Amino acid sequence: MSHFLGFDSSTQSLKALVIDAAAGRIVASATVHFGRELPQYDSPDGVLPSADPLEKHASPLMWLDALDLVLRRLADGGAPLALVRGISGSGQQHGSVYLNNTAAGALAALAPGQSLAAQLAGIFSRKTSPIWMDGSTVPEVGELDARIGRRLQDDTGSPGIERFTGPQIRRFFKKDPVAYASTARIHLVSSFLASVLVGGDAPIDFGDGAGMNLLNLRTGVWDAEIADATAPGLLRLLPRVAAGGGAVHAGVLAAYFAKYGLRPGIPVALWTGDNPASLIGMGAHRPGKAVVSLGTSDTVFAAFEKFHTDPDGFGHVFGNPAGGNMSLACFKNGSLARERVRIDAGVDWKFFDEMAFEQTPPGNEGRLALPWFEQEITPAGRPIGLRANFDYASAPAAVRVRAAVEAQVLSRALHSAWVGKFDTLRVTGGASRSKGILQTLADVFQARVETISVTDSAALGAALIAAHDTGGFAYDGLAEKFCPTVSVTMPRPETAGVYAKLLPVIRELEK
Ligand code: XUL
């Protein structure tokens, strides 16, 4: 019996995967799309409507209904839930859930006759949960910066960030001090759902806890001074924090879940954030391998050992569920920027992905164009617009395409240099089909570029964490089985010098 269950509670959906760890197979999966399948929550993309465009909240009851529904669907679909030996999960990072003093009793008394949402509707001191898309905390970030200064980044791994949990908690305390005063516990999305599974109070893991602007990554405990500056009495509202790896579990599965055929009493490992789970699900748990995810936003993340931070202050440090740390840098201008460059150049994807690169030399004779059509966050605080160091408008299409792709890739490399050296990049997301982009990544980073066959890396990562933490399976073996390489692009050593010379050029262009 080597079956494990992993969840991923993301912005728009809840996924669940059952794996057979020994066989290296996904044996069952189910997804609940919040907007489509739980329309009563009025959250088409998993987010509640708000008069303030910066405010992005979701209903925690929606996540509970999704948990019941996804398990019902797995059970009805014949998933071998009775064989599951251990469970873990991942949640969208930074989002927070506020519980009152009835929560502990209600969680401990879950009865199978009623739904989770019906039984837990009264446990929230704040009816909605701010999520990672929220940008309403600019004043609170300013206040924390003024109180704590540089130590915020040096010790929590990130400067004050609007979407991070600490500034979100501070806003709640300022806006609704009465409701704040009635709060007994504040969880992350990940630790909240783990608490529901165990019918108790699950710890927050280092991986996700690091995205709060509250955890001191040097000492491994909540930072009392920062917690106090965030909101009075906050320290006693935070759950225990614990390192992943299996020494500490969230608890054991509550009897409630027997109605789906799961066995009560099986271990539930700590849940983590979706990015730390993806690091595991992409088979990149060891330092030296970076993940480059090319989507609406591009992200670059990688494991590293010794705690240190980005000297420029744009990259974040989270915990690696396999031990040590991980970096994460998010680049707002990803696929949509590439698409706009393509449309403006009047070419199709075949031309953008391949032909443009056959018609131009690596390095593009120094011509670079940063496509910053949206407010960029890495680096932050720069005006929007396309920044080229040549006459972009009258250049041939192939030159424009290469200039934009090379500028993007050089910027990804520039803002990852603080992490360390990578020998391998694992590339995922829509644009990983582009031969030109893969070769540019290989040449700029001078690293082997791999694509792999994983699609739901966070849900898979969660299932692998369960197999490791509760079943004793080693991550190396799991990665070999579950994350096999599909394609390899090797770097061309003769291009190393060309791109090394362009790194200072891109830094100038970003200024
Ligand atoms: C990371 C971040 C997002 C969320 C949602 O800092 O905000 O990636 O985790 O996926």
Side-chain angles (χ1 to χ4, degrees), residues 171-326:
R171 179 158 191 263
F172 176 50
F173 153 70
K174 282 169 53 187
K175 268 190 69 178
D176 196 346
V178 176
Y180 177 78
S182 74
T183 301
R185 197 39 112 225
I186 301 177
H187 273 290
L188 290 176
V189 176
S190 58
S191 62
F192 169 63
L193 290 171
S195 298
V196 172
L197 287 179
V198 303
D201 184 40
I204 286 181
D205 92 306
F206 279 162
D208 213 9
M212 297 175 78
N213 275 151
L214 287 170
L215 181 62
N216 190 314
L217 295 179
R218 294 179 195 278
T219 60
V221 294
W222 301 121
D223 191 294
E225 186 201 351
I226 297 175
D228 193 52
T230 299
L234 175 57
L235 205 51
R236 64 179 167 74
L237 305 186
L238 297 172
R240 203 151 59 97
V241 62
V248 177
H249 289 159
V252 299
L253 188 67
Y256 173 87
F257 296 95
K259 69 185 195 184
Y260 300 114
L262 287 162
R263 286 175 305 139
I266 56 170
V268 178
L270 297 180
W271 280 44
T272 190
D274 54 358
N275 293 297
S278 279
L279 185 80
I280 303 292
M282 290 293 294
H285 56 284
R286 284 192 183 277
K289 256 186 197 164
V291 177
V292 180
S293 166
L294 302 169
T296 312
S297 306
D298 290 349
T299 52
V300 180
F301 53 93
F304 67 93
E305 265 328 311
K306 214 173 123 21
F307 176 71
H308 64 286
T309 58
D310 177 4
D312 292 329
F314 302 124
H316 305 303
V317 181
F318 300 142
N320 174 357
N325 301 279
M326 70 174 282

Side-chain angles (χ1 to χ4, degrees), residues 11 91-94 132 163-164 274-275 316 318 328:
T11 316
Q92 51 174 316
Q93 293 199 253
H94 319 300
W132 66 280
R163 70 184 187 283
F164 277 37
D274 54 358
N275 293 297
H316 305 303
F318 300 142
L328 180 122

Side-chain angles (χ1 to χ4, degrees), residues 13-337:
S13 64
L14 176 67
K15 292 193 192 85
L17 286 187
V18 180
I19 61 163
D20 179 340
R25 277 189 310 124
I26 294 172
V27 297
S29 71
T31 302
V32 170
H33 188 274
F34 304 140
R36 277 199 301 275
E37 296 172 81
L38 299 169
Q40 64 272 34
Y41 290 101
D42 191 20
S43 305
D45 299 309
V47 189
L48 288 162
S50 164
D52 176 354
L54 294 176
E55 196 176 274
K56 304 281 182 190
H57 286 217
S59 167
L61 290 174
M62 177 179 78
W63 300 328
L64 294 178
D65 268 336
L67 184 56
D68 270 327
L69 192 54
V70 87
L71 285 170
R72 169 59 46 223
R73 205 161 272 175
L74 278 179
D76 289 352
L81 295 180
L83 299 183
V84 168
R85 269 176 61 188
I87 301 178
S88 188
S90 75
Q92 51 174 316
Q93 293 199 253
H94 319 300
S96 41
V97 182
Y98 300 73
L99 306 181
N100 61 31
N101 63 9
T102 69
L107 284 164
L110 289 172
Q114 273 189 305
S115 72
L116 292 170
Q119 296 179 78
L120 299 177
I123 69 170
F124 303 99
S125 62
R126 189 183 196 181
K127 295 280 171 255
T128 61
S129 290
I131 63 163
W132 66 280
M133 296 163 85
D134 190 283
S136 66
T137 60
V138 174
E140 289 72 23
V141 166
E143 287 154 12
L144 284 170
D145 275 343
R147 287 278 293 276
I148 307 295
R150 177 80 206 184
R151 203 171 74 73
L152 206 50
Q153 190 203 351
D154 288 350
D155 290 348
T156 73
S158 302
I161 302 281
E162 285 74 12
R163 70 184 187 283
F164 277 37
T165 323
Q168 295 290 342
I169 294 172
R170 179 162 180 78
R171 179 158 191 263
F172 176 50
F173 153 70
K174 282 169 53 187
K175 268 190 69 178
D176 196 346
V178 176
Y180 177 78
S182 74
T183 301
R185 197 39 112 225
I186 301 177
H187 273 290
L188 290 176
V189 176
S190 58
S191 62
F192 169 63
L193 290 171
S195 298
V196 172
L197 287 179
V198 303
D201 184 40
I204 286 181
D205 92 306
F206 279 162
D208 213 9
M212 297 175 78
N213 275 151
L214 287 170
L215 181 62
N216 190 314
L217 295 179
R218 294 179 195 278
T219 60
V221 294
W222 301 121
D223 191 294
E225 186 201 351
I226 297 175
D228 193 52
T230 299
L234 175 57
L235 205 51
R236 64 179 167 74
L237 305 186
L238 297 172
R240 203 151 59 97
V241 62
V248 177
H249 289 159
V252 299
L253 188 67
Y256 173 87
F257 296 95
K259 69 185 195 184
Y260 300 114
L262 287 162
R263 286 175 305 139
I266 56 170
V268 178
L270 297 180
W271 280 44
T272 190
D274 54 358
N275 293 297
S278 279
L279 185 80
I280 303 292
M282 290 293 294
H285 56 284
R286 284 192 183 277
K289 256 186 197 164
V291 177
V292 180
S293 166
L294 302 169
T296 312
S297 306
D298 290 349
T299 52
V300 180
F301 53 93
F304 67 93
E305 265 328 311
K306 214 173 123 21
F307 176 71
H308 64 286
T309 58
D310 177 4
D312 292 329
F314 302 124
H316 305 303
V317 181
F318 300 142
N320 174 357
N325 301 279
M326 70 174 282
S327 64
L328 180 122
C330 182
F331 302 83
K332 245 326 187 1
N333 290 282
S335 301
L336 300 179

Side-chain angles (χ1 to χ4, degrees), residues 317-466:
V317 181
F318 300 142
N320 174 357
N325 301 279
M326 70 174 282
S327 64
L328 180 122
C330 182
F331 302 83
K332 245 326 187 1
N333 290 282
S335 301
L336 300 179
R338 286 184 283 275
E339 179 154 17
R340 179 147 161 203
V341 167
R342 179 188 70 79
I343 291 169
D344 289 352
V347 298
D348 60 15
W349 280 118
K350 171 98 182 127
F351 186 93
F352 186 96
D353 289 343
E354 280 186 61
M355 285 149 76
F357 295 86
E358 289 156 11
Q359 295 177 14
T360 50
N364 214 14
E365 290 158 349
R367 291 167 292 193
L368 291 168
L370 270 169
W372 282 352
F373 301 122
E374 268 200 71
Q375 185 64 60
E376 187 48 72
I377 52 176
T378 307
R382 313 294 204 265
I384 61 168
L386 185 120
R387 298 184 172 208
N389 62 355
F390 66 103
D391 182 5
Y392 181 84
S394 45
V399 169
R400 287 162 64 149
V401 169
R402 191 186 266 281
V405 167
E406 288 189 339
Q408 281 192 328
V409 173
L410 282 160
S411 174
R412 310 305 177 248
L414 181 70
H415 296 290
S416 308
W418 65 275
V419 180
K421 181 97 187 86
F422 310 126
D423 49 46
T424 307
L425 305 182
R426 295 205 129 181
V427 185
T428 149
S432 61
R433 66 167 185 271
S434 161
K435 274 193 190 166
I437 294 181
L438 293 178
Q439 188 64 58
T440 305
L441 281 163
D443 291 341
V444 168
F445 281 83
Q446 286 293 299
R448 172 190 164 96
V449 165
E450 301 176 343
T451 58
I452 63 170
S453 65
V454 172
T455 38
D456 296 323
S457 59
L460 176 63
L464 300 185
I465 289 171

